[in-house]
Amino acid sequence: DQQVKQNSPSLSVQEGRISILNCDYTNSMFDYFLWYKKYPAEGPTFLISISSIKDKNEDGRFTVFLNKSAKHLSLHIVPSQPGDSAVYFCAASAADSWGKLQFGAGTQVVVTP
Amino acid sequence: EPEVTQTPSHQVTQMGQEVILRCVPISNHLYFYWYRQILGQKVEFLVSFYNNEISEKSEIFDDQFSVERPDGSNFTLKIRSTKLEDSAMYFCASSESDKVSGNTIYFGEGSWLTVV
């Protein structure tokens, strides 16, 4: 089941630079999208979300952009910090199935000094 | 910051044995979930629970699985007769409501289940 895809398994970025993580989805019923960060042996930690009525949501260093026509969203982290090194998951849900999140495979981000 | 807590953090069990994974959701949350992640695979939805009944379940959540809220604070996942393929990290999660806007789902640290 590939309803949510993160095609980049890994991303390396220098400290202070921008990290851009991408996510594509196929189910047009999805109307809410979330990004989670996960360290090894820990649970996913919520970062930021966006509903389909918006095309951008910003929270501190994190900004999520949604392009509904392309069924694409991205997470921008500016500036990247060493503590941002983790796996980032994109997740999506439909209004009639709110708690049933569909996750992407994740992108491993490594922030180098 | 309020958090979802899970016990045990790691459990090893023999195939065919029953396992109960326990969770304490965030106190004012009303919706509860179990997810799992098999090593190397995606995080997968298992079940959602509200008002003492299952709201939705995935095809993974067959008759071997059950959930319960035995008291006002705990939320449990029971696997009646474990199989090797049940080995995974199981995440409990909770949310304040089912409203999409402004809501989110918070996850616990996970319970790592190894079936031998």
Side-chain angles (χ1 to χ4, degrees):
Chain A
D1 185 350
Q2 293 287 319
Q3 295 189 61
V4 178
K5 297 181 187 178
Q6 293 176 257
N7 290 320
S8 298
S10 64
L11 172 70
S12 183
V13 64
Q14 267 194 320
E15 183 178 0
R17 300 287 188 111
I18 183 171
S19 295
I20 300 177
L21 293 86
N22 294 301
C23 178
D24 297 294
Y25 61 97
T26 57
N27 189 341
S28 57
M29 299 302 292
F30 287 151
D31 60 0
Y32 199 63
F33 305 90
L34 307 91
W35 284 94
Y36 286 88
K37 172 181 175 179
K38 187 179 180 299
Y39 294 114
E42 292 187 11
T45 301
F46 170 73
L47 283 176
I48 192 168
S49 61
I50 188 167
S51 84
S52 60
I53 62 173
K54 295 184 176 181
D55 54 20
K56 177 182 174 182
N57 189 25
E58 190 172 354
D59 184 1
R61 296 187 298 116
F62 303 95
T63 303
V64 56
F65 296 92
L66 175 62
N67 181 334
K68 289 187 293 293
S69 60
K71 293 191 175 68
H72 176 83
L73 62 154
S74 62
L75 174 68
H76 291 205
I77 308 173
V78 181
S80 300
Q81 299 173 353
D84 295 332
S85 296
V87 178
Y88 289 78
F89 291 98
C90 169
S93 75
D96 63 349
S97 191
W98 154 239
K100 186 178 180 181
L101 297 179
Q102 296 284 347
F103 279 83
T107 297
Q108 172 76 59
V109 172
V110 176
V111 180
T112 57
Chain B
E1 184 176 311
E3 57 182 20
V4 177
T5 58
Q6 290 185 240
T7 54
S9 56
H10 188 195
Q11 181 161 354
V12 181
T13 189
Q14 287 205 321
M15 192 168 53
Q17 295 296 303
E18 176 183 282
V19 160
I20 297 177
L21 305 178
R22 292 182 168 80
C23 168
V24 179
I26 294 173
S27 62
N28 65 330
H29 286 189
L30 301 176
Y31 293 80
F32 314 115
Y33 316 90
W34 284 100
Y35 285 75
R36 78 173 185 188
Q37 185 179 27
I38 295 171
L39 192 63
Q41 297 186 21
K42 291 184 179 183
V43 176
E44 305 172 287
F45 169 82
L46 291 178
V47 66
S48 59
F49 188 87
Y50 169 71
N51 200 26
N52 279 320
E53 60 182 33
I54 290 174
S55 305
E56 188 167 4
K57 59 184 180 180
S58 71
E59 59 276 8
I60 302 168
F61 195 89
D62 60 22
D63 292 344
Q64 291 299 312
F65 291 89
S66 63
V67 289
E68 192 178 33
R69 188 154 164 84
D71 54 42
S73 59
N74 290 286
F75 179 51
T76 62
L77 173 69
K78 181 192 290 186
I79 310 174
R80 286 190 185 82
S81 177
T82 50
K83 305 171 195 159
L84 294 176
E85 55 265 35
D86 294 327
S87 295
M89 180 74 93
Y90 287 80
F91 296 108
C92 176
S94 69
S95 65
E96 189 172 348
S97 76
D98 66 344
K99 293 189 187 306
V100 169
S101 179
N103 197 6
T104 193
I105 295 177
Y106 295 91
F107 285 79
E109 298 273 300
S111 293
W112 182 248
L113 175 66
T114 302
V115 182
V116 296

